[in-house]
Amino acid sequence: MKDRNHLANIGLTHHVKVIENGLIDIPMLQVLQPDGTAHKQAELPDVNEQLASKILHTMQYVRLLDERMVAAQRQGRISFYLACTGEEASTVASAAALEPQDMIMSQYREQGALAYRGFSSKEFMDQMFSNQNELNKGRQMPIHYGSKALNFMTISSPLGTQIPQASGYAYGQKMAGLDAVTICYFGEGAASEGDFHAGLNMAAVLNCPAIFFCRNNGYAISTPSEEQFAGDGIASRGIGYGVRTIRVDGNDVLAVYAATQQAREIALKHQCPVLIEAMTYRLAAHSTSDDPTGYRSKDEEERWRLKDPVVRFKAWMQSKGWVDEKLNLTFIEETRQEVLKALKLAEQVPICPIEQIIEDVYDTPPWHLKAQLAELKTHIDMYPDAYPKTSGRG
Amino acid sequence: MATMNMLQAVNNALITAMSDDEKVMVFGEDVGHFGGVFRATSNLQQKFGKGRCFNTPLTEQGIIGFATGLASQGSVPIAEIQFADYIFPAFDQIVNETAKFRYRSGGQFSCGTLTIRTPYGGGIAGGHYHSQSPEAFFAHIPGMKVVIPRNPYQAKGLLLASIRDDNPVLFMEPKRLYRASVGEVPEDDYQLPLGKADVVKTGSDISLLAWGAQVEIIEKAAAMAEAEGISCEIIDLQSILPWDVETVCSSVEKTGRLLINHEAPLTAGFASEITASVQEKCFLHLESPICRVCGLDTPYPLAHEKEYMPDHLKTFEAIKRTVNF
């Protein structure tokens, strides 16, 4: 057995040495300035016109989707929505730096990553209308997307639960010898959950090729980040757990792309986790159930509107001559129409038949669920008008 | 008296408790300046200061562990878990720590001043993570009390009693009624006894038992049954643990029949415990099997919420089946 000495790497001091907060400097990677011009010293990632256009279009798409669905919720067409306005660069550019075989485990504000993977308007709408075409069979509230085909794990509302799961998923990828990593998105609020600490520590100790991507958007519903933690953000914790860590401007597409690309390389090459803290701002309300006027000022929001990630990236693309304004306007108008059309179609589609209520609880329904379904069907037949969505469907 | 909805009654109870005892502190996610996602803690921080009403980091296990320690020190914490669906990270603290604090120390230490408030239950299109009714999990923990009000009057009186009870209490608020249930509430300080059921209406043919938001469901079913000449006694259990076996059994001895309704899944729901106890104590008085109208043994669905719920129609049919057994 190997002799071990757990003090081997610890130096000595002969005076009481108090390590104070802020002694470790964790700078934020920024490539593009808010006006879209690149910092002179910055090293630009390799992003060509085609990739840039896909990133821009995806960001514009999710913004239109968000606007449309917030309105649809206000109109009472869906029960709930959660927009990602202001955070598009964080999720879209990070997803762009991944490979399709990489697993995405998201929190709930990562529609940008999902859209980048190719989730269609129809798929978004089917989910939000909980209809029978929906991939999760209409079982969860709007925005709880999931797609096996796109390697996007179905979203769960409880916060932070996906973090240790990502460690486990990535460990499985490593053991299977796959050329793939797992990216795990979460907010700075969710990072207060015990699962964050458990997940990061396990990933570090068990050398899991996972990218932990924190969207530090300043708020957990109403709670500002200074009431969430007293340390230097989330990045400082990565260091504590022995996880390689990058802090990045989350409103800067090129910085997020560069950071995630490098994180993926490290995770694969060294078979280890990497933590990215993306500094951004939740310009949207937490959800359609929230009203931010109760906890933050319009002025504060306006200051962040000036750092709009879509505007910033588009300005950079324009400087490269990659934006045809007329074509882009056409894209926006066509997308708007396409989203609306998908919405109108999805809201007409019925929910799953009642038989589905007992499916997927287990691999096959046990006797007691079959009995409960039979009883329920008899009851629905007795009062068809009281259960209009499921009665009279054979 | 003032007209209040359930949220206002909860808020009023918290103000009453905080005014009465400066050791009372209210905390949880978003409960501070914002006043909670449902606004149950509105203006408490403004009124009593940041030291006594504050936001916590987003960690349920932290909130309950913190609250347990704070209670053991002699303060009177009222901790909010934003949704009962999110209480499970705190399950270890509640089961192994909060509930056993007094017992394991031979009575030297106690966290009995702790009250945990949490909204629970369905009917709000919340799917399985904003609709669950986990009372039975907590009814299985010796050392905890579990209390559920059905209207604003009960909410204030039971919450004040829970705060002042010298045992940790889980106070579960039926969020479907937060704004929907409106009634007259005394502005003064008052308490309703824990461990006592409330006979809402007397009747002779069958006893209907529920708690929280399901009380109005059995009331609706009872009205349908009465129209067919079936006389229903309606009981709100109010306290899940310890529960008022005496009131329930004396009702069953009178009517000879019992129907229990809860939103939580049938299997191992709290109706199972009530059924076992009642058949034990009232066996010779029973004229029909005790009937349970409950949620299905599936996760709480979204699209099929209406079908899943133990609604008034299912209850009405079950009343007829039980009476005509």
Side-chain angles (χ1 to χ4, degrees):
Chain A
M1 202 170 289
K2 215 171 110 186
D3 229 15
R4 49 179 294 283
N5 175 9
H6 68 285
L7 306 186
N9 297 323
I10 298 176
L12 287 183
T13 176
H14 306 294
H15 302 281
V16 176
K17 191 171 173 189
V18 179
I19 313 294
E20 286 184 28
N21 196 13
L23 278 183
I24 304 167
D25 177 32
I26 310 173
M28 177 175 88
L29 172 68
Q30 189 177 68
V31 175
L32 296 180
Q33 302 177 62
D35 67 1
T37 53
H39 283 285
K40 282 201 180 73
Q41 324 85 302
E43 197 180 315
L44 267 65
D46 185 15
V47 173
N48 62 25
E49 182 177 354
Q50 192 191 3
L51 176 60
S53 294
K54 185 172 175 188
I55 291 172
L56 177 66
H57 285 167
T58 307
M59 292 198 295
Q60 290 178 326
Y61 173 81
V62 289
R63 187 158 294 185
L64 290 169
L65 179 73
D66 284 355
E67 284 169 9
R68 183 61 254 168
M69 298 324 288
V70 168
Q73 194 278 336
R74 296 279 179 256
Q75 293 165 339
R77 293 161 99 167
I78 56 170
S79 59
F80 178 84
Y81 191 71
L82 198 145
C84 68
T85 315
E87 299 181 53
E88 294 92 342
S90 294
T91 54
V92 175
S94 53
L98 301 174
E99 296 298 327
Q101 70 271 25
D102 295 334
M103 173 52 80
I104 297 178
M105 292 201 179
S106 79
Q107 181 164 297
Y108 45 51
R109 208 181 297 281
E110 292 85 5
Q111 54 265 51
L114 185 56
Y116 189 87
R117 280 271 166 106
F119 206 60
S120 68
S121 296
K122 177 183 182 302
E123 288 171 314
F124 273 112
M125 293 302 167
D126 287 341
Q127 199 287 325
M128 282 181 275
F129 284 96
S130 326
N131 69 30
Q132 66 181 10
N133 296 333
E134 201 258 309
L135 296 171
N136 302 311
K137 303 183 185 170
R139 294 199 175 115
Q140 293 208 72
M141 282 173 74
I143 70 98
H144 291 66
Y145 316 108
S147 169
K148 178 104 176 158
L150 296 179
N151 284 322
F152 190 97
M153 187 67 82
T154 295
I155 293 167
S156 162
S157 312
L159 282 173
T161 48
Q162 78 280 18
I163 302 171
Q165 291 170 9
S167 307
Y169 200 96
Y171 189 80
Q173 290 171 316
K174 175 173 87 164
M175 293 303 281
L178 300 177
D179 177 30
V181 303
T182 296
I183 191 166
C184 177
Y185 293 99
F186 52 94
E188 87 289 346
S192 292
E193 291 281 9
D195 275 346
F196 166 85
H197 301 277
L200 249 74
N201 192 35
M202 288 194 74
V205 170
L206 296 168
N207 304 309
C208 307
I211 301 169
F212 295 99
F213 193 103
C214 178
R215 297 176 290 97
N216 184 342
N217 65 13
Y219 287 94
I221 307 189
S222 77
T223 304
S225 52
E226 66 269 20
E227 292 183 31
Q228 194 66 245
F229 46 76
D232 181 14
I234 306 305
S236 61
R237 298 181 200 170
I239 295 159
Y241 284 118
V243 173
R244 290 170 170 86
T245 298
I246 305 167
R247 176 175 276 158
V248 64
D249 182 341
N251 285 21
D252 176 352
V253 163
L254 294 183
V256 171
Y257 184 82
T260 313
Q261 199 176 40
Q262 196 156 334
R264 186 177 189 277
E265 277 171 27
I266 293 169
L268 267 184
K269 184 175 165 202
H270 300 284
Q271 292 291 296
C272 70
V274 180
L275 172 67
I276 297 175
E277 183 182 26
M279 309 308 292
T280 181
Y281 187 83
R282 196 195 74 211
L283 267 176
H286 165 69
S287 72
T288 49
S289 306
D290 177 39
D291 174 13
T293 58
Y295 54 83
R296 69 186 188 194
S297 70
K298 285 274 167 219
D299 287 351
E300 179 185 306
E301 290 178 8
E302 281 314 311
R303 276 200 301 282
W304 277 91
R305 254 177 240 290
L306 299 176
K307 300 183 190 178
D308 187 319
V310 185
V311 174
R312 187 189 300 191
F313 186 58
K314 192 176 164 192
W316 178 73
M317 284 180 65
Q318 280 163 330
S319 75
K320 307 275 285 184
W322 290 350
V323 182
D324 180 325
E325 202 52 50
K326 209 173 143 202
L327 276 181
N328 195 239
L329 282 173
T330 310
F331 167 80
I332 287 174
E333 195 39 49
E334 284 176 0
T335 303
R336 207 189 299 276
Q337 293 306 324
E338 191 253 333
V339 166
L340 184 60
K341 194 174 151 199
L343 184 156
K344 286 179 172 170
L345 282 173
E347 69 184 342
Q348 301 303 325
V349 177
I351 65 170
C352 281
I354 193 61
E355 286 74 11
Q356 177 267 313
I357 196 170
I358 63 164
E359 286 171 17
D360 303 318
V361 182
Y362 300 93
D363 57 345
T364 54
W367 64 270
H368 68 293
L369 288 182
K370 288 182 189 164
Q372 289 176 15
L373 174 63
E375 199 182 325
L376 177 61
K377 286 170 78 170
T378 307
H379 179 76
I380 292 171
D381 287 345
M382 207 180 291
Y383 293 97
D385 297 344
Y387 310 95
K389 289 182 177 174
T390 45
S391 59
R393 292 175 64 182
Chain B
M1 294 287 239
T3 305
M4 295 184 198
N5 63 29
M6 191 178 282
L7 276 173
Q8 291 164 327
V10 167
N11 186 251
N12 188 271
L14 295 173
I15 290 171
T16 304
M18 291 180 92
S19 307
D20 174 58
D21 181 355
E22 63 180 25
K23 294 205 292 291
V24 175
M25 299 174 206
V26 172
F27 50 88
E29 294 157 15
D30 300 294
V31 306
H33 175 73
F34 189 51
V37 293
F38 291 102
R39 308 300 161 88
T41 56
S42 279
N43 297 317
L44 298 184
Q45 187 175 83
Q46 292 82 334
K47 223 175 158 73
F48 299 101
K50 265 192 161 178
R52 292 182 61 199
C53 175
F54 51 92
N55 288 338
T56 62
L58 212 165
T59 167
E60 294 78 13
Q61 68 186 101
I63 293 169
I64 301 304
F66 180 94
T68 299
L70 185 60
S72 73
Q73 173 276 334
S75 297
V76 185
I78 305 171
E80 178 179 300
I81 298 295
Q82 201 162 73
F83 285 88
D85 311 77
Y86 301 150
I87 203 167
F88 299 107
F91 206 55
D92 184 38
Q93 282 289 341
I94 296 172
V95 175
N96 284 328
E97 303 298 321
T98 312
K100 297 173 175 63
F101 220 83
R102 177 186 281 128
Y103 186 81
R104 73 181 181 199
S105 69
Q108 297 185 85
F109 296 98
S110 162
C111 61
T113 53
L114 169 60
T115 303
I116 304 169
R117 290 181 43 247
T118 191
Y120 83 97
I124 60 149
H128 44 244
Y129 295 128
H130 296 82
S131 305
Q132 296 173 83
S133 297
E135 68 272 15
F137 286 116
F138 299 96
H140 201 61
I141 309 172
M144 286 301 292
K145 289 191 178 183
V146 181
V147 176
I148 303 181
R150 72 168 185 279
N151 65 27
Y153 175 76
Q154 319 296 117
K156 180 175 174 183
L158 289 169
L159 180 53
L160 280 167
S162 300
I163 294 166
R164 288 150 181 177
D165 189 88
D166 201 18
N167 296 282
V169 178
L170 176 65
F171 189 81
M172 299 175 63
E173 299 165 6
K175 61 181 175 287
R176 179 165 99 226
L177 301 186
Y178 263 162
R179 292 186 177 83
S181 178
V182 178
E184 291 298 302
V185 178
E187 283 161 291
D188 296 341
D189 196 337
Y190 67 97
Q191 296 179 45
L192 296 172
L194 303 188
K196 282 280 175 208
D198 186 24
V199 179
V200 179
K201 181 191 151 308
T202 56
S204 56
D205 295 328
I206 183 168
S207 305
L208 309 181
L209 178 62
W211 46 89
Q214 289 306 95
V215 175
E216 65 175 28
I217 301 298
I218 58 171
E219 286 180 311
K220 212 168 160 186
M224 294 173 76
E226 302 266 344
E228 301 204 356
I230 302 171
S231 166
C232 302
E233 180 142 309
I234 297 172
I235 306 172
D236 172 7
L237 195 61
Q238 293 189 128
S239 279
I240 306 300
L241 189 70
W243 65 284
D244 187 356
V245 69
E246 198 183 323
T247 297
V248 175
C249 285
S250 57
S251 173
V252 174
E253 282 170 17
K254 182 176 72 175
T255 62
R257 300 175 185 93
L258 176 63
L259 179 152
I260 310 156
N261 176 308
H262 62 60
E263 280 180 51
L266 176 82
T267 298
F270 199 64
S272 310
E273 176 58 34
I274 297 168
T275 303
S277 294
V278 172
Q279 66 84 23
E280 203 172 84
K281 293 182 196 310
C282 306
F283 189 70
L284 294 177
H285 294 273
L286 286 170
E287 294 186 33
S288 64
I290 297 168
C291 173
R292 293 175 291 163
V293 182
C294 304
L296 270 61
D297 285 329
T298 69
Y300 196 104
L302 181 79
H304 290 138
E305 176 170 38
K306 201 170 173 52
E307 288 77 5
Y308 172 91
M309 284 291 267
D311 63 8
H312 62 290
L313 296 172
K314 290 181 190 173
T315 309
F316 172 56
E317 287 302 320
I319 292 171
K320 288 193 292 184
R321 278 200 306 275
T322 303
V323 171
N324 299 322
F325 180 75

